[in-house]
Amino acid sequence: MMLIYKDDKSNGKYRDNNASGFTLIELLVVIIMIGILGAIALPAFLSQAAKARQSEAKSFVGAINRAQQAYMMERLEFADSVERLDLVRNKKSQYYSYSFVVTQTQGSVVAIPLVEDTGKTYTGAATLYQNKALVKTIICESPQQGSEIQKVPEWDATNSALFCPDPMNNITN
């Protein structure tokens, strides 16, 4: 059944009562629901992206610790750069900068986020102990994102252990 209606706005157009489609209210409800779901999902996605960046730093600091151990056993000194470790060809990272701190008995690395408040700071060390016969390693993590703690782990001779600088936490497995 076709109805003809006429008012000032319709200009005499035909409207079919059997026509299918969505009303403006239905479309608005769907758009609002999509917006709510997006508002819930976006923070979860962003936190996962930050965890992925932090994972890069953790694994690179761990790889440097292992490479420092091998370098020390071969050359009786710690390397002061990634190039000397021959660890990776491309030491550039989009998210972290890495710096080395080397002494006669310890080779340390500090990973600092390049963009403020986007990642945690990590530091690691390989240290000689027991008359330079053994090497011990540690990886430390800052408690919150965006902190730029540039201290390296220290050796406690009385306990024969490495410890993280305050307020960092030991995350070595």
Side-chain angles (χ1 to χ4, degrees):
M1 170 177 177
M2 295 287 235
L3 294 177
I4 299 176
Y5 60 93
K6 186 152 179 129
D7 61 13
D8 294 337
K9 296 179 186 170
S10 67
N11 296 326
K13 294 184 179 176
Y14 294 96
R15 180 171 179 205
D16 185 2
N17 282 343
N18 296 328
S20 63
F22 298 105
T23 66
L24 183 59
I25 300 293
E26 292 170 332
L27 291 174
L28 286 174
V29 167
V30 169
I31 290 172
I32 289 171
M33 289 171 54
I34 290 171
I36 290 170
L37 289 173
I40 292 169
L42 187 62
F45 171 75
L46 294 177
S47 72
Q48 291 302 316
K51 285 181 183 178
R53 287 187 218 106
Q54 291 169 12
S55 179
E56 171 206 319
K58 278 192 265 189
S59 60
F60 194 64
V61 168
I64 288 173
N65 278 355
R66 288 184 295 280
Q68 285 284 33
Q69 285 178 329
Y71 194 89
M72 171 51 85
M73 295 303 156
E74 291 175 7
R75 295 184 177 86
L76 301 177
E77 67 178 352
F78 287 108
D80 59 359
S81 69
V82 172
E83 290 83 11
R84 287 188 66 195
L85 289 173
D86 198 29
L87 184 61
V88 288
R89 301 287 179 236
N90 182 9
K91 71 171 187 167
K92 297 282 183 187
S93 169
Q94 291 180 310
Y95 308 109
Y96 280 87
S97 70
Y98 301 94
S99 58
F100 282 73
V101 179
V102 177
T103 66
Q104 284 186 329
T105 58
Q106 182 167 306
S108 303
V109 63
V110 178
I112 299 172
L114 291 174
V115 180
E116 212 173 290
D117 295 333
T118 60
K120 296 180 178 183
T121 300
Y122 294 92
T123 185
T127 301
L128 285 173
Y129 71 106
Q130 289 188 353
N131 296 328
K132 299 183 179 180
L134 297 172
V135 178
K136 195 166 204 150
T137 62
I138 191 170
I139 300 175
C140 307
E141 175 184 67
S142 63
Q144 72 274 351
Q145 291 187 358
S147 63
E148 291 190 13
I149 302 165
Q150 296 188 19
K151 297 178 184 175
V152 296
E154 295 181 23
W155 179 253
D156 179 4
T158 57
N159 296 323
S160 295
L162 280 166
F163 65 93
C164 295
D166 284 336
M168 297 183 102
N169 301 315
N170 183 348
I171 59 168
T172 308
N173 294 334

